[in-house]
Amino acid sequence: METIFLILVGGMTKASIYFLVAAGLTLVFGVGKVINFAHGSLYVLAMYVTYSISTGLFGGGPYSFWYALVLTPILLGAFGCIIERFLLRRIYGKEHLVQLLLTYGLVYIFQDIYRLGWGVMPKIVPHTTFMGGSMSIMNVTIPQFNLFVIFCSAAVFLALSLVVSKTSFGRFSRAVAFDEGMCELLGVNTQAVYTGIFALGCFLAGIGGALATQLGVVHLGMSAHITILAFILVIVGGVGSINGAAVAAILVGMTESFGALFLSEFGLVLIYLVMVTVLLWRPFGLFGKPAF
């Protein structure tokens, strides 16, 4: 029982990180219709930025990570505005091959940035002393930071749901995703909506990347894995659906955790099996809508 409970917490922790990455990707894909293969690279960039802020700017002190957790998403959001303004804005409405070439090219550029800025050796962000201990739940010792990650992801989910459903920006975003031309005729600044959505996606990747630094090391080969997982979550959950990204993240996170315990050799295969099963049942995803 103790092992199962620990796996559940571990699965929810993974699901929380996956959701933060996939939520940004599904918003960009759903509203901007851009296939952003560089989204995983932005997540890894956030991890490196967190490392630099924690160890360089604040010297690796006991609260340095918390400063980085605040600053990193803001910096990633601002960087996202620059990428959208000078690169992505030029390919809106173009065929997906053009989007693929541009964003996939960004992946290689980011890889060189990592090498030039941080070298090829893995980096370790100093572990925080605050929330760095453990607590006992049902006589099971659980790391406090894992619970904090789950709490953060749940808070972001609630905040995103409110933004999408209750704010003017959310209503404009849904309208632009449905009919951009009509929105422009009605005076909606669609370019500002696209910029805001992409910045929000980068901001969420910044939160996920910053939190992930306390759960493992930072290394060059991470972007491909997280990008594939993010696209799997978007496909399983449904393009543009925050609820779908959350459910898919839990499904994949739990599958990965339990698969590592019982079928360690086929852990990755199980994730693809989940995706295939969902697509056979609902080709447009759990919470997606048919295109016709």
Side-chain angles (χ1 to χ4, degrees):
M1 185 62 185
E2 179 179 349
T3 301
I4 298 299
F5 192 72
L6 286 172
I7 293 174
L8 286 173
V9 173
M12 284 301 299
T13 304
K14 288 183 178 181
S16 298
I17 298 294
Y18 294 164
F19 165 72
L20 291 169
V21 181
L25 180 61
T26 197
L27 286 173
V28 172
F29 199 2
V31 177
K33 305 298 187 296
V34 173
I35 303 176
N36 183 19
F37 269 86
H39 194 72
S41 297
L42 291 167
Y43 164 85
V44 177
L45 178 63
M47 299 183 76
Y48 278 115
V49 171
T50 301
Y51 169 78
S52 292
I53 294 176
S54 297
T55 59
L57 190 59
F58 294 102
Y63 297 102
S64 61
F65 166 75
W66 300 103
Y67 299 132
L69 180 60
V70 174
L71 292 176
T72 297
I74 296 174
L75 292 175
L76 262 290
F79 187 52
C81 290
I82 296 173
I83 294 177
E84 192 279 336
R85 174 62 181 84
F86 293 101
L87 293 176
L88 296 185
R89 190 170 294 187
R90 303 173 185 274
I91 62 171
Y92 288 136
K94 296 186 181 297
E95 60 184 23
H96 291 319
L97 179 60
V98 176
Q99 300 174 3
L100 172 62
L101 290 174
L102 175 62
T103 57
Y104 198 68
L106 285 175
V107 173
Y108 286 99
I109 293 174
F110 279 123
Q111 285 292 109
D112 286 338
I113 291 175
Y114 303 153
R115 290 189 177 92
L116 291 173
W118 292 278
V120 297
M121 298 300 295
K123 305 297 182 183
I124 300 177
V125 175
H127 287 272
T128 176
T129 54
F130 178 68
M131 296 292 293
S134 58
M135 61 186 301
S136 179
I137 301 177
M138 299 173 58
N139 296 322
V140 179
T141 302
I142 304 296
Q144 290 181 348
F145 194 82
N146 288 49
L147 299 178
F148 176 76
V149 170
I150 297 171
F151 171 80
C152 281
S153 183
V156 168
F157 171 76
L158 292 175
L160 282 178
S161 299
L162 290 175
V163 167
V164 170
S165 61
K166 301 296 184 180
T167 66
S168 298
F169 177 73
R171 290 191 289 270
F172 288 154
S173 299
R174 286 183 281 122
V176 169
F178 182 74
D179 193 331
E180 178 190 2
M182 182 59 69
C183 288
E184 289 181 342
L185 290 175
L186 293 173
V188 176
N189 188 344
T190 57
Q191 294 296 339
V193 171
Y194 288 144
T195 302
I197 285 293
F198 193 79
L200 178 59
C202 294
F203 181 85
L204 294 174
I207 297 175
L211 290 173
T213 59
Q214 294 290 298
L215 303 173
V217 300
V218 189
H219 58 87
L220 292 174
M222 301 182 68
S223 59
H225 175 68
I226 197 66
T227 299
I228 292 172
L229 277 177
F231 272 97
I232 289 175
L233 295 179
V234 171
I235 293 169
V236 171
V239 174
S241 173
I242 300 298
N243 292 335
V247 172
I250 294 174
L251 190 61
V252 169
M254 290 300 179
T255 299
E256 188 174 3
S257 292
F258 279 96
L261 176 65
F262 298 109
L263 295 169
S264 57
E265 315 86 40
F266 306 102
L268 189 59
V269 175
L270 291 176
I271 296 176
Y272 287 101
L273 184 60
V274 169
M275 181 181 70
V276 171
T277 303
V278 170
L279 291 181
L280 288 175
W281 172 44
R282 290 178 64 87
F284 39 86
L286 294 174
F287 289 78
K289 297 180 180 179
F292 50 86

